[in-house]
Amino acid sequence: MSHKWIKISSTVLAVATAVFVSGCGSGEPASRAADHGLSGDPIKIGTINPLGTTAQNSPDAVAAIRAAAAGINASGGVNGRPIEIVACNEGYDPNKATACAREMVSENVVATVRDFSINNTSPINNMLASAGIAQVFSSVSQPPDYRAPNVFPLDGGSPFQWAGLVHRAQETHGIKKLAVAYLDGPGTRLRVDATLKAAENAGVQVVTQVPVPADAADYAPYVASVMKDKPDAIVMIFSEPMYAQMIPALDAAGGSEILLLGNQAAVTPHLLKLLGNSAEGMMLGGPLPPLTATDKFPGLAKFKADMATAFQAGDKDADPESTSGAALAGWLGVQAVAQIAANLQGEISRKTVLDALNSTSGVDVQGLLPAWSPGQSGPIESYPRVANTSMFFWEVKDDAQLLTDTNTYDITPALKGF
């Protein structure tokens, strides 16, 4: 199994749809809500993501959030009112992250969706929590994220996902020795800790832990450290740009037969097509099914349709053939907030949306995971805001992500004692 990775363009383009996108130079609309017969004040939904950085890049997630709003507006909006997206690039910079959070407050967004920041969650969360702004399906990765009363995660985020992958890989592949390579920074510590706990619970020996700086120019030394104890599998807690450098170096060092456990947010369908057979056998997992399972999950077809419309209208980051699980989560977050807002009696504000999220059960999530009850406490005591601890697992086969089982897997045993 040969693993060769490449980089994907990170250019963010404006969507020529009925959504007005503001914030941090995020783009201008080509049409107005009035084009769909919508009236009244727009309902603003925000999102904070890193764009164009070496550590993380999420243009498809932002495009998906725009596409979701455009699709809802084209279908009548929220009780006749348009959704307006406020997007901001946190740039892997604490100052920019704080500015983005401040913009969400000043723009009076009713909620944010799929906020993501590797190292800057605290300034974002603290400011949004103080303003009473709900964060829906935000990418949780730091301890405060799991306790904040305004945070409503889709799942436990990448720490839980890595734990689930390790536990499941032991069951399905019988791995005994694991290497862990990770982005060297405070934002990844919880991911590493969850991975180590899952390995312990599964009886898997962690033979090495290798921190890799985001600006590393030569990956050969890190690959040598990863491979020195001949692991059965490698967890790489990286973003896509770092995968792009690590995997070729791993191949060059003779590591092509080692099982790779991959982050579903970083492995896109477009990337796999470019890789060909080199990614064959890679194991992936996440809270939502892979985008190839459209025949089993009609909600995926709706997502792809919205993305295709945005792509055809000019947003190249909305290419339905190159989007990731992060994009699907962003799209689904907008659907959830719109549903909550549509069911409110009276004012739609950050307070009423937050209150509704805490009291609502059985939110329709397009059949992509069990009915979501955002205010419900989860089964893991230390992480009460995580109501959903289920994951799908799949593998790369013939250049595609193939789901072999539509049932979800409860990862709670992987996190025992965490």
Side-chain angles (χ1 to χ4, degrees), residues 399-410:
D399 307 345
Q401 301 182 34
L402 296 184
L403 181 69
T404 55
D405 187 352
T406 58
N407 295 320
T408 55
Y409 177 87
D410 182 12

Side-chain angles (χ1 to χ4, degrees), residues 324-414:
S324 67
L328 179 59
W331 177 87
L332 194 60
V334 176
Q335 306 291 335
V337 173
Q339 181 185 157
I340 290 288
N343 290 332
L344 288 172
Q345 301 297 319
E347 182 186 19
I348 299 174
S349 67
R350 61 181 63 168
K351 182 182 186 306
T352 59
V353 169
L354 180 60
D355 288 346
L357 283 162
N358 276 309
S359 61
T360 300
S361 61
V363 177
D364 179 15
V365 280
Q366 307 294 320
L368 298 177
L369 70 159
W372 183 54
S373 298
Q376 177 180 313
S377 294
I380 301 178
E381 184 176 353
S382 299
Y383 301 89
R385 303 301 293 178
V386 183
N388 173 41
T389 55
S390 64
M391 281 182 68
F392 292 96
F393 294 96
W394 57 93
E395 66 177 9
V396 175
K397 186 175 182 180
D398 297 331
D399 307 345
Q401 301 182 34
L402 296 184
L403 181 69
T404 55
D405 187 352
T406 58
N407 295 320
T408 55
Y409 177 87
D410 182 12
I411 65 168
T412 303

Side-chain angles (χ1 to χ4, degrees), residues 15 57 59 77 121 125-126 150 170 188 256 307 321 351 361 392:
V15 184
N57 189 34
T121 56
N125 291 358
N126 290 343
N150 68 316
Q170 197 286 321
T188 58
S256 61
M307 293 296 277
E321 298 304 318
K351 182 182 186 306
S361 61
F392 292 96

Side-chain angles (χ1 to χ4, degrees), residues 214-240:
D215 58 356
D218 180 7
Y219 274 61
Y222 306 108
V223 167
S225 296
V226 165
M227 294 183 59
K228 66 182 178 66
D229 291 312
K230 300 180 179 179
D232 303 317
I234 299 175
V235 162
M236 286 177 286
I237 304 175
F238 291 159
S239 63
E240 183 273 333

Side-chain angles (χ1 to χ4, degrees), residues 4-24:
K4 296 179 181 177
W5 292 69
I6 63 172
K7 294 185 178 180
I8 299 176
S9 171
S10 61
T11 302
V12 180
L13 301 176
V15 184
T17 62
V19 180
F20 176 83
V21 184
S22 66
C24 301

Side-chain angles (χ1 to χ4, degrees), residues 14 44 60 68 70 87 94 120 136 202 223 257 262 285 303 305 317 330 334 355 379 407:
K44 295 184 179 182
D60 61 325
N120 304 318
V136 176
V223 167
E257 296 304 317
F303 164 73
D317 292 324
V334 176
D355 288 346
N407 295 320

